[in-house]
Amino acid sequence: MYERSESEYFTAKRKAASQLGLGHRHRPRDLPSTAEVRERIRVLADLHEGPGRGKKLKSMRVAALRMMRLLSAFKPRLIGSVMTGHTREGSDIDLHVSCDHVSSGAAVLEDERITRDVQRKRVRKHGQ
């Protein structure tokens, strides 16, 4: 996961079990927890990236705050590694925003010349 060959914890844990020869004979409780995997990724990041990692995290959080202020009309939420502090080389800033039209949120970032990758997700809650 540190090298980004896997992005989902569950998939990475199953793949690791398979590589260890456990195949499908493992139980979920036999695998490390997501928190344990996340902590090991942090240790690897500290080892490979050194003390500058903390400064980079702070810089990314400041950039996230700026973007959240720009997108305040869309109720932004910071998620992912920048929020948790578990960044590593190649980490990006992930924000969730709510809007009826993707183009309206993207236009705000475009006006500011902010590089972005927009993904549209439909959220249903209680049948709505």
Side-chain angles (χ1 to χ4, degrees), residues 7-102:
S7 60
E8 299 295 326
Y9 287 97
F10 181 70
T11 305
K13 290 187 272 186
R14 285 183 37 203
K15 185 176 178 180
S18 178
Q19 289 174 347
L20 291 172
L22 298 176
H24 297 294
R25 297 178 307 221
H26 63 278
R27 297 170 296 208
R29 69 174 182 241
D30 295 333
L31 302 175
S33 69
T34 297
E36 290 170 317
V37 174
R38 187 180 300 126
E39 176 59 19
R40 290 297 168 199
I41 292 169
R42 187 198 60 77
V43 168
L44 278 173
D46 284 344
L47 179 68
H48 290 285
E49 299 168 34
R53 202 168 77 74
K55 289 180 183 178
K56 185 174 181 180
L57 173 60
K58 181 180 178 183
S59 173
M60 292 176 81
R61 285 180 170 168
V62 168
L65 180 59
R66 179 174 175 254
M67 285 186 274
M68 291 174 76
R69 286 179 176 153
L70 286 170
L71 296 165
S72 63
F74 305 104
K75 302 176 185 160
R77 285 187 50 224
L78 180 63
I79 63 164
S81 60
V82 174
M83 191 232 4
T84 65
H86 292 93
T87 57
R88 58 189 185 267
E89 190 63 41
S91 288
D92 56 6
I93 299 169
D94 297 308
L95 294 174
H96 278 185
V97 296
S98 299
C99 55
D100 292 330
H101 302 285
V102 173

